[in-house]
Amino acid sequence: MTPAPTPSIFAPVSTPAFAIRDLSFFVLAITAVIFLIVAGFAVYALIRFGRRPTNPQTEPAQVYGSTQIELAWTVVPLLIVVVLFLVTARYIYGIERRPQPPGALEITVVGHQWWWEVRYPKLGIVTANEIHVPVSDAADPLPAFLTLESVDVVHSFWVPQLAGKMDVIPNKTNRVWIEPRQTGTFVGQCAEYCGLQHALMLLVVVVHPPDEFREWVAAQRTPPAEGAATKTGRELFSSLACINCHAVQGTPGNGAFGPDLTHLMSRSTLGAGAASNTPENLRAWVKDAGTLKTGALMPAMKLDDSQLDHLVAYLSSLR
Ligand code: CUA
């Protein structure tokens, strides 16, 4: 896997993102020509008609109204805007109207304050903040179609190297598709202000080679091992309020308010980018999530040290 590249629309790796870059270059080219012409005239006027000792101190000729000039500066910009509009509309239509092919991977992404729930309805997988997809072969494209929903406020799904920005709206379903042509880890962010921790809604998309993706799916579908060493922690988890908000397969926990923890340790960060997912940070998070992410909706659990130790030992075993 290559290291995480910069989230730039000028470094696309997925079909819709390539289209967006092409369109951006087209718009930039037209506006660059306009800029050069306008700035050129301005500089020419400054140099040619500047006040000089040799210049007579008289006003220039005063011109009132010129049908030709007025037509020129109305019609030409109008034509430019029409061209920009038509080309943009064509690109948007091309991306948004793409029908979902039968073999496409289906993923549901649900925006929460402030994390992303990620579901693979056909595969029975639920995870958070990290989306895993297989790489798409140019000869045999394998797109992933993402259904976007929100449980609270408006968020926006944006992974610049993979696709355009798409709002995530409560009581409305939006759709976005990606077709990554190279493996790697690509990052994005919630792109619509959604409250205190809008800045900590990191999106990570991991694009795997096909075999590796199958392995990931198999691992996610396997319930976590129940070791004897973590029995106390597991019982603690099941007896505490954790299970009201969190799910872990094979336990009474089936809450959906917070992230599914079945394979918690397969994820790289806690709190959607608030901290790296290490046992130390996990302990601090369970003790009082607010210390790592102010305003996080997970309450401080008011546990004593021994309870924390057992709980974190258990959670750290959820691979
Ligand atoms: Cu979610 Cu901003």
Side-chain angles (χ1 to χ4, degrees):
M1 237 191 296
T2 48
T6 35
S8 163
I9 65 161
F10 295 111
V13 299
S14 156
T15 311
F18 281 110
I20 289 168
R21 181 187 58 178
D22 293 349
L23 181 59
S24 306
F25 278 143
F26 177 75
V27 173
L28 278 174
I30 288 184
T31 49
V33 170
I34 295 172
F35 173 79
L36 288 177
I37 291 173
V38 172
F41 276 129
V43 170
Y44 172 76
L46 277 173
I47 294 168
R48 173 72 181 75
F49 301 109
R51 178 182 287 196
R52 292 192 190 85
T54 52
N55 272 1
Q57 298 289 310
T58 53
E59 282 196 345
Q62 301 295 299
V63 180
Y64 293 99
S66 160
T67 312
Q68 279 174 331
I69 293 176
E70 285 178 19
L71 271 177
W73 73 43
T74 309
V75 173
V76 173
L78 193 68
L79 288 177
I80 294 172
V81 171
V82 167
V83 167
L84 290 177
F85 169 77
L86 289 178
V87 174
T88 307
R90 186 165 164 261
Y91 271 88
I92 293 176
Y93 191 83
I95 292 173
E96 297 211 334
R97 295 295 140 157
R98 174 164 184 197
Q100 182 174 324
L105 181 64
E106 285 180 25
I107 306 173
T108 303
V109 178
V110 186
H112 291 250
Q113 281 175 319
W114 293 277
W115 59 283
W116 303 95
E117 177 184 342
V118 181
R119 297 180 166 270
Y120 295 71
K122 291 204 174 147
L123 300 174
I125 294 172
V126 185
T127 180
N129 303 321
E130 289 176 19
I131 300 170
H132 293 252
V133 294
V135 69
S136 178
D137 180 0
D140 181 22
L142 180 63
F145 276 70
L146 279 58
T147 303
L148 305 177
E149 295 166 7
S150 169
V151 294
D152 37 46
V153 298
V154 180
H155 304 272
S156 179
F157 181 92
W158 195 30
V159 184
Q161 290 176 283
L162 298 181
K165 203 182 273 183
M166 183 61 77
D167 275 356
V168 180
I169 302 170
N171 299 317
K172 180 173 168 34
T173 298
N174 273 341
R175 197 182 72 146
V176 76
W177 60 274
I178 59 174
E179 199 174 77
R181 298 183 198 171
Q182 68 181 62
T183 56
T185 301
F186 305 100
V187 291
Q189 232 319 110
C190 178
E192 179 74 46
Y193 181 70
C194 55
L196 190 61
Q197 287 296 358
H198 159 65
L200 280 180
M201 280 188 76
L202 178 69
L203 273 163
V204 177
V205 179
V206 184
V207 180
H208 297 278
D211 300 354
E212 208 178 275
F213 178 70
R214 276 192 289 274
E215 283 166 24
W216 179 82
V217 169
Q220 292 286 314
R221 295 178 67 161
T222 312
E226 296 191 356
T230 56
K231 186 165 178 286
T232 316
R234 188 166 66 247
E235 286 171 0
L236 205 53
F237 175 83
S238 303
S239 67
L240 289 169
C242 311
I243 56 172
N244 295 337
C245 294
H246 293 287
V248 174
Q249 266 178 52
T251 74
N254 62 355
F257 190 72
D260 188 299
L261 302 179
T262 307
H263 296 284
L264 170 65
M265 298 316 282
S266 72
R267 307 199 280 261
S268 59
T269 72
L270 289 171
S276 55
N277 190 5
T278 62
E280 301 76 57
N281 286 338
L282 191 54
R283 196 172 196 279
W285 183 270
V286 175
K287 192 171 179 198
D288 183 359
T291 57
L292 292 173
K293 188 173 182 178
T294 308
L297 298 185
M298 169 153 161
M301 292 305 290
K302 305 257 191 309
L303 304 176
D304 62 36
D305 278 352
S306 140
Q307 285 178 311
L308 274 174
D309 290 341
H310 284 302
L311 203 51
V312 170
Y314 168 59
L315 293 175
S316 309
S317 75
L318 301 176
R319 307 205 157 264

